[in-house]
Each structure stands twice: as structure tokens, then as C-alpha cells.
Amino acid sequence: MARLALAMLLVSCASYGPYHANTAAEPLKSIRGPSDGRYKFAFIEFGDQGSALDTSQRAAAINVIRQAQRPLLFVYIHGWMNNANSGDVCRFEHFIDMVSRLPEVTHGKINVIGVYIGWRGKDLSVPGLDLLTVWNRKLAGGEVAAQNSCLATINELALAAREPGKQVHHCVLMGHSFGGLVLSNTISHSILDASSTGARNASPWDMAVAFNPADNSIGTRQLLSELDYLYKYDRTRGAYVGRNPGAEEGAVMKEDRPLLIVLQSENDRATGKFFPIGQGLANTVNLHYHWDTVPVPGGNGEKVSEGEFETHTPGNDKYLVNFKVMPLGEATAPSGLKTDENRAFEANIRQNVRGRTFFTSEKNNGHEKQFCRGPDYNPDETRPPTGKEDWRRWEFVYSGNARVPCWIVRVPKDIIWGHGGLWSDNSVAMFGALYRMHFPLNAEGLATSSQPVRVPKAPDTQKLSQDKLH
């Protein structure tokens, strides 16, 4: 019986990558895309200890970016129950394909590139047994984030997009679930990296979004506290301003271009209900009962137990959430839309966002689930419109807590349903609005080239104390 049980366990183990290894016969197996070249799609895979499983994958992806004159780069890190051979591959590639068909992209001859960061988020393949891997895979995701290879890879990809001579260069980072854990933990250190002069180095990417990240919020609390130490919010300018007087250029950051955005579905049971229970049980097993008392970011001296942040994810912690999406009611479709599928995405992209409002155009009923049951995507197949459009308007609203260039946003279930709803039509439409807020259009209707954000020097402590009192 023991041997039989062991055999069944071995058979149920998901195949260990790389799934898209380059070989002498197929030196570019990790790169794919449609025959007309409207986009390129690349894989880069990591093991449980954070090591690259095939270093040629990174070289191949960087080469694709370097060859592009106008790269629009999306780097996506998947979450639990996925890997480089799961349905998330298809869903991300469909998103990349949809972006490549936008009129702005085709008219501007933009080179759309998607890079799928794969790791072993799916450890067992037998339904039911795979649910037992949640904490094991959380540890693996934390290991990928803690080691050097993932951050180095993201940096190299972003820097390749910014090489001199590029006519346009945009780099967007995306992560979901444990992939959000990897993304947040990986880039937080880079955001706060400082030289010996006290100046922070500019991050080479332009935008970072984590969907329903499945990690405790200790690191996020620390990030918000550090940003609250470096910045204060200026209502007259609608911007975050460095607290250090006479700070270097870049110390003023527009409110609508935060360094990191965390989007949290309001009905995500995985992170909202099960995560605190599991984390509490883990603390009991590990005899972890003592917690330090730490300040609440922007809380004017308020302190709470750090156990609060250890047992809640960032988007489910009442001390950290600082934005929410509010409904503004029914809306009508703007005229002149060119696409047939998820037309709100185009509506949000084609003009600059005003007042942090955006459209959705579909019922969030899971109709997308009929597609992408596996990793394969057909770029020549078009998805028909649902024929049941439901146009609504929404607004990102500041809801309290630290007002810093890191948004922790609560999102209604009408937009993101549950833990895995990031690829729903409405979620993608909302993401389109966030994208346009980061990359506004100029007078010619073209997206402006992004400029590196320079985090300001540390403020004078006496001046900081005076700011906190007012």
C-alpha cells in the first residue's frame, strides 16, 4: 500500500520544466507569435530555488526586445495552480493579442511583446490533491522572489526596452496571486534602492500591477511606511512631493502614476478568508505568539500588532487599503469604437482618463471561461462579441490611510470575480484605464514616452516631524 501511495503521488506530480526549453534543433522554441508578426510572446522559466531553468530563454526574449524600435513590453508572473504549461499562458497571450489589435498600436507601428515568467505554481495535477499544495507553493514563490535571478531578469528585460534609439518604450509588470507575491517582493527592494548620496535609483520599468497577491502584508506595510517617509501628498498639485526641500528632479510624482498598484477583489475567498485561517494555523504550529507593535503608515503615530499584517494580505488589511473602485451608474458606449470584443477596453485606452473614471461593458458572468482550457492559443481565431453588453462607469476613489505612490485598491466583484478573475473582460478594461493613466496621449494622439521616476532623497528628520504634526 505504501508503494502504491508513493507511485500515485509521483504520477500526480506536475511535470517539472522547462516546458519551452530551447534546443539545437529549435533554438527559439521559447518564442512564438502570429505569422504577421503583430506581437511576440516569450517564455522565461524558473525553478523552486529561483534559478533560471534555461538561460537561453532570457537571452532570446532580450534579443526580441532589442530588435523592436517601439517596444510595448508586458511581463507577467502567474500564480498558484499555474505554470508555463497551463491555461494562464493562453489567457495572457490573448491579452497580448488584443493589445496588438488596438488602432493606436497598429497605426503607431508599436511592437507588442509579452514575456511569461513561469515557475512551478502547479505542483500536483490530481484535482483535490492540488489544493494541498498552497503553502508549499507559497514558499516556492517566496524563494523565487528572494533570490537574484528573477529581479535580474526583470531588470534586464526593462532595460532592453529602454535602450538608446528606441522611438517608444513602455514596460509594464503584472503579477497574480503568488505571482503578485513574487512581483511585489521583487520590485519593492528596487524601488527603495539608494546610493551612497541618498538618491534613489530609477526603476527601469514604468508600471507594476499585482492582482489579488497571496502574501502577508508585512512587506507592503514597510513599503508604504518608507514611501510615507519620503513623500507627502500635495492636494493643490494632485501629486506626491518629496519631503526633502530642493530635492532632485523627479521628486514630484503625479498621483495617477503610483509605483505599485495592488488590485484586490472584494469577494476573493482565497486571500480574504482562507489565508488568515491558514496563516493562523501556521503560527500556532510554529509556536509564534509574540508580535512587535509597529506604526500604521500615515497613521499619525497609531501602532498595532505586526500580527495584524502577518495574517492579512495587503488588499484585505484595513490599515493599508487606500483606494476603492466606486460605481457611477449605467453608461452608454462611446461612438467610433473599432473592436468587437470587450469594447470598454478600447474605450478606456483610446483617450486620456479624466477624473480617474473608466468604463466596463460586459456582465461579469465568467463567459471567458469557455476559452483557454489549456496553454495553446490560436492567434488567428477571433472571439465573437457576447451580444449582451452592460455599459457602466466607475471611479478610483481615495478612501483613507497612507496617501502615497502605492495604491492598495478594493475592487467590486462586478469587475474582478474571486481570486482568479483577473482576465475577465471587466478586469482587463479597468487595467486599460490604469495603463492610460500611466501613459497619457499627447496632442497627436500618441502615447508619450515614459520618463524614469527618481525617488527623492531622505528628508530632514526635523522637517518630517513638523509635517506629521499638521
Side-chain angles (χ1 to χ4, degrees), residues 99 106 115 119 136 161-162 164 171 253 267 275 278 281 312 317 320-321 327 345 363 379 433 461-462:
V99 171
T106 56
V115 177
W119 59 286
N136 175 271
R162 283 187 177 275
C171 177
M253 186 187 307
N267 71 332
F275 184 93
L281 290 174
H312 291 84
D317 196 294
L320 300 182
V321 173
F345 178 64
K363 292 184 180 297
T461 52
Q462 184 175 0

Side-chain angles (χ1 to χ4, degrees), residues 352-409:
N352 289 332
V353 176
R354 295 179 177 86
R356 295 200 292 269
T357 65
F358 64 93
F359 291 107
T360 60
S361 60
E362 301 290 342
K363 292 184 180 297
N364 200 6
N365 56 11
H367 57 268
E368 306 91 348
K369 293 180 180 179
Q370 62 183 298
F371 305 102
C372 291
R373 298 185 183 277
D376 297 326
Y377 176 73
N378 182 0
D380 298 320
E381 179 184 3
T382 58
R383 298 184 182 181
T386 62
K388 299 179 180 179
E389 287 191 340
D390 181 27
W391 282 85
R392 296 184 180 276
R393 200 173 186 96
W394 309 82
E395 180 182 7
F396 293 103
V397 177
Y398 170 68
S399 59
N401 291 328
R403 199 161 192 175
V404 296
C406 177
W407 287 12
I408 315 295
V409 189

Side-chain angles (χ1 to χ4, degrees), residues 30-89:
S30 63
I31 306 293
R32 69 191 196 191
S35 57
D36 63 5
R38 64 180 178 269
Y39 71 83
K40 294 291 186 181
F41 193 86
F43 294 91
I44 301 178
E45 300 176 66
F46 293 90
D48 279 5
Q49 280 67 52
S51 298
L53 296 180
D54 179 359
T55 55
S56 71
Q57 291 179 330
R58 171 168 148 180
I62 290 175
N63 188 51
V64 167
I65 299 168
R66 285 175 172 165
Q67 291 176 358
Q69 287 298 307
R70 303 174 182 85
L72 170 52
L73 173 63
F74 294 90
V75 181
Y76 172 65
I77 309 173
H78 67 78
W80 182 43
M81 304 290 277
N82 284 290
N83 53 33
N85 197 40
S86 66
D88 235 26
V89 174

Side-chain angles (χ1 to χ4, degrees), residues 259-285:
L259 297 165
L260 173 65
I261 300 171
V262 173
L263 300 174
Q264 177 63 58
S265 171
E266 65 182 11
N267 71 332
D268 176 6
R269 298 179 64 190
T271 62
K273 292 184 179 296
F274 299 137
F275 184 93
I277 294 173
Q279 201 68 42
L281 290 174
N283 293 336
T284 301
V285 171

Side-chain angles (χ1 to χ4, degrees), residues 80-81 119 121 123-124 129-141 177-178 181 214 270 274-275 278 419:
W80 182 43
M81 304 290 277
W119 59 286
D123 199 27
L124 297 176
L129 285 180
D130 51 10
L131 298 176
L132 302 177
T133 68
V134 57
W135 296 110
N136 175 271
R137 293 301 86 199
K138 179 177 182 292
L139 292 174
S177 184
F178 290 155
L181 174 158
F274 299 137
F275 184 93
H419 187 64

